[in-house]
Amino acid sequence: MPDRRHRWQVLASCLLATSLFGTGGFALAQSNTLRGCADQSVADASARIAACTTLLSSPRISGKPAGVAYTLRGLAYLDRNDVPHAIADLDKAIELAPGFAPAYQNRGNAWFARGNYGRAIADYNQAIELEPNVASAYANRGTVRRDLGFTEGALEDYAKALSLDPRHARAYAGRGELYLRQHNYADAISDLQRAAQLDPSIANAMMLGQAYAEAGDLPQALQAYDAAAKLDPKNVGVIDAEAGVWRKKGDIDKAIALYDRAIAIDPRRPATYRLRAEAYAAKGDHKRALKEIDRVLKLTWSVDALKLRARWRYAGGDIDGAMSDVNHIVKLKPDSETALAVRGAVAARKKDYDAALADLDKAIQADGTDAFAFAERGRVYAAKGDGASALSDVDRAIALDAANATFYRERATIYRSKGDTAKALADYAEAINRDPSDIANYVERAALRKADGDRDGALADLDEALRRQPGNAVAVYQRGLIEQAMAAEAAKQAAEAAAAKDVSAVRTAEAAPAQATPSATMASAAPAPPPAPVVVPLPQPAPMKRAAAPANERAPVPERVASNFVPDVESPAPLPPQKPDAGPDQAAQPASEALPIPTPPEMPPQAREQTPQDDAGAEYYIDRRRVSEADYRRFLRTAGFNSAFR
């Protein structure tokens, strides 16, 4: 807003007016009426208007003094936002005092307030022509040029104003806002800091807070908004701005609490309900967001509110409701980018990707800051297998709306498809941080952790999902799969450990030093040379069948091994002795010199349950003596072979 304050010019003109009144005029100048009309520090514009009206009713005022009085009353009307009356009074002032520069400057302010920038610049030009060394006229013209997009001209005007008055706060504020629009945050913050120092007003503090927030310096932004709140603790605009910073920080609950406070102060302010609705949507609570936006539409029927409701209805799966809102939007604004974006998203939901891209492309061309459109187009590209384009669009959506947790999950999904587990996990973490209530984030991250071998992390995510939503079918199923796999691995490890223990026992028996048995010592009175070491062979898994093969093809019978096993029943007569095929370095050992087998360790319970299958017609032998199947099994268990033999 251009500067309306020109105290020294107006007061000087008032002094001129009183000098024209003569001695009686001087007395009048000292009266409360004249002071009430001229004192712009009075907050009550109506009181100033009344004082100026009383002054103008005096028959003594005419010509230029009357023009000054009309200027003062026009400024009071402008402060009361009564632009038509302000312009009428300033027209009269210029008619009575055509050389009075403040009348032109304030009328330029009135035209600016009405949106007629051409007439505003014309009046500022006239004011500068009449008084070329007044900073405020340049600062005001710079503001209009800035809003018209004439950046170079605006910077020239601000520089001229500051050269004339280095302490002109409005020139610093106007130029700082221009830098902010250019995203030149360093220069914007520098100018806005200076403006806030020279004029510690709510407007300057809020503009500085906005600059810090857009620059990403959220702590400084909060500090600036706190300074504004100290000036007016019940200023709803300040509270809403502070809530926006907390939302950017990811503390949605804090933001909602501030919006609640603002609504308690002004329960009929649609903007705050809308902001609170957006906060609920960012939190993933679309039901509450829709309820809030319905309140906005009851207070004021607007296309912007319909746009939000259309998007959130779509996000909540209410496709018909979303399309109904789109149709209303198109009637009010046929080229609405939001209508195109939502219609494109609906087409994508129906897998009509070509139609979806056509609408989304148009939406983005119309509004390059629409995060929703970028995110939806990213999903379409992902569905079509264009991962690079999908990632680019979702990156842009996050840059535009960093508080939206859904965008991070979408990007995590893209990273998963590209095999970038680390980045996918980082985005899932960010999504959960911004919206801990969304169960899908936990379930999807659990699946990724499971695939990456982090079963403990996956179980932790699934447990949290079930804590937040007990009975979630996907979480229950995924956790069951992981626990089943872990149980199977534990059983396998136990079996391998038992097998390793059995093999160790047998190897210990093989490595034991040769010792003569007591029976062998008693059988021979004469001393005998020490026997050669005998290697105890492992029994074959399958029992021997007597008629399995011709005699000349039968497997060699191992050396006789003395056994401490005694069958429960009388064994049949032994088979005729057979001579083993002895090699050149092998000699038959006397039966009396055979070594005993050490007692093996106890068989584990799971091995006891494993029994060899019956082999019809099989015959079983121990030390060349035929035994029953039961005795043969007992022998194997006694010898330490715990596995099932088939």
mmCIF file of all heavy atoms in Angstrom, residues 421-422 425 446-455:
data_model
loop_
_atom_site.group_PDB
_atom_site.id
_atom_site.type_symbol
_atom_site.label_atom_id
_atom_site.label_comp_id
_atom_site.label_asym_id
_atom_site.label_seq_id
_atom_site.Cartn_x
_atom_site.Cartn_y
_atom_site.Cartn_z
ATOM 1 N N THR A 421 16.917 -48.472 -2.524
ATOM 2 C CA THR A 421 16.298 -48.747 -1.224
ATOM 3 C C THR A 421 16.560 -47.644 -0.221
ATOM 4 O O THR A 421 15.670 -47.263 0.545
ATOM 5 C CB THR A 421 16.816 -50.086 -0.685
ATOM 6 O OG1 THR A 421 16.494 -51.120 -1.633
ATOM 7 C CG2 THR A 421 16.182 -50.413 0.656
ATOM 8 N N ALA A 422 17.791 -47.109 -0.201
ATOM 9 C CA ALA A 422 18.142 -46.096 0.795
ATOM 10 C C ALA A 422 17.262 -44.855 0.660
ATOM 11 O O ALA A 422 16.729 -44.343 1.652
ATOM 12 C CB ALA A 422 19.611 -45.723 0.661
ATOM 13 N N LEU A 425 13.616 -45.638 1.696
ATOM 14 C CA LEU A 425 13.443 -45.676 3.152
ATOM 15 C C LEU A 425 13.458 -44.268 3.739
ATOM 16 O O LEU A 425 12.695 -43.969 4.668
ATOM 17 C CB LEU A 425 14.555 -46.522 3.785
ATOM 18 C CG LEU A 425 14.450 -48.034 3.556
ATOM 19 C CD1 LEU A 425 15.698 -48.740 4.085
ATOM 20 C CD2 LEU A 425 13.203 -48.602 4.229
ATOM 21 N N ALA A 446 7.517 -51.589 5.753
ATOM 22 C CA ALA A 446 7.785 -52.936 6.263
ATOM 23 C C ALA A 446 8.109 -53.893 5.119
ATOM 24 O O ALA A 446 9.033 -54.711 5.219
ATOM 25 C CB ALA A 446 6.582 -53.437 7.057
ATOM 26 N N ALA A 447 7.351 -53.802 4.028
ATOM 27 C CA ALA A 447 7.614 -54.669 2.879
ATOM 28 C C ALA A 447 9.008 -54.413 2.306
ATOM 29 O O ALA A 447 9.726 -55.342 1.934
ATOM 30 C CB ALA A 447 6.548 -54.448 1.811
ATOM 31 N N LEU A 448 9.393 -53.128 2.256
ATOM 32 C CA LEU A 448 10.718 -52.797 1.732
ATOM 33 C C LEU A 448 11.812 -53.291 2.674
ATOM 34 O O LEU A 448 12.838 -53.820 2.230
ATOM 35 C CB LEU A 448 10.822 -51.281 1.550
ATOM 36 C CG LEU A 448 12.132 -50.756 0.958
ATOM 37 C CD1 LEU A 448 12.401 -51.378 -0.401
ATOM 38 C CD2 LEU A 448 12.101 -49.240 0.845
ATOM 39 N N ARG A 449 11.604 -53.129 3.968
ATOM 40 C CA ARG A 449 12.604 -53.611 4.936
ATOM 41 C C ARG A 449 12.732 -55.132 4.891
ATOM 42 O O ARG A 449 13.836 -55.676 4.991
ATOM 43 C CB ARG A 449 12.215 -53.149 6.342
ATOM 44 C CG ARG A 449 12.532 -51.697 6.611
ATOM 45 C CD ARG A 449 12.077 -51.256 7.994
ATOM 46 N NE ARG A 449 12.727 -50.028 8.398
ATOM 47 C CZ ARG A 449 12.479 -49.376 9.539
ATOM 48 N NH1 ARG A 449 11.554 -49.847 10.371
ATOM 49 N NH2 ARG A 449 13.119 -48.264 9.831
ATOM 50 N N LYS A 450 11.618 -55.802 4.733
ATOM 51 C CA LYS A 450 11.656 -57.261 4.643
ATOM 52 C C LYS A 450 12.464 -57.695 3.428
ATOM 53 O O LYS A 450 13.320 -58.596 3.516
ATOM 54 C CB LYS A 450 10.238 -57.813 4.557
ATOM 55 C CG LYS A 450 10.175 -59.328 4.340
ATOM 56 C CD LYS A 450 8.747 -59.770 4.061
ATOM 57 C CE LYS A 450 8.697 -61.245 3.673
ATOM 58 N NZ LYS A 450 7.340 -61.663 3.269
ATOM 59 N N ALA A 451 12.221 -57.059 2.288
ATOM 60 C CA ALA A 451 12.954 -57.401 1.067
ATOM 61 C C ALA A 451 14.436 -57.096 1.214
ATOM 62 O O ALA A 451 15.281 -57.750 0.595
ATOM 63 C CB ALA A 451 12.374 -56.647 -0.119
ATOM 64 N N ASP A 452 14.769 -56.104 2.051
ATOM 65 C CA ASP A 452 16.161 -55.719 2.261
ATOM 66 C C ASP A 452 16.830 -56.548 3.354
ATOM 67 O O ASP A 452 17.986 -56.318 3.693
ATOM 68 C CB ASP A 452 16.219 -54.230 2.622
ATOM 69 C CG ASP A 452 17.612 -53.646 2.474
ATOM 70 O OD1 ASP A 452 18.286 -53.977 1.483
ATOM 71 O OD2 ASP A 452 18.027 -52.864 3.340
ATOM 72 N N GLY A 453 16.098 -57.508 3.940
ATOM 73 C CA GLY A 453 16.668 -58.382 4.963
ATOM 74 C C GLY A 453 16.533 -57.865 6.380
ATOM 75 O O GLY A 453 17.029 -58.500 7.315
ATOM 76 N N ASP A 454 15.877 -56.732 6.571
ATOM 77 C CA ASP A 454 15.707 -56.159 7.910
ATOM 78 C C ASP A 454 14.368 -56.619 8.483
ATOM 79 O O ASP A 454 13.384 -55.878 8.502
ATOM 80 C CB ASP A 454 15.774 -54.634 7.829
ATOM 81 C CG ASP A 454 15.668 -53.972 9.198
ATOM 82 O OD1 ASP A 454 15.690 -54.694 10.206
ATOM 83 O OD2 ASP A 454 15.550 -52.729 9.246
ATOM 84 N N ARG A 455 14.357 -57.882 8.970
ATOM 85 C CA ARG A 455 13.101 -58.427 9.488
ATOM 86 C C ARG A 455 12.675 -57.745 10.778
ATOM 87 O O ARG A 455 11.485 -57.525 11.007
ATOM 88 C CB ARG A 455 13.248 -59.929 9.702
ATOM 89 C CG ARG A 455 13.268 -60.731 8.403
ATOM 90 C CD ARG A 455 13.422 -62.196 8.693
ATOM 91 N NE ARG A 455 13.310 -62.992 7.481
ATOM 92 C CZ ARG A 455 13.571 -64.295 7.425
ATOM 93 N NH1 ARG A 455 13.955 -64.921 8.527
ATOM 94 N NH2 ARG A 455 13.451 -64.956 6.299
#
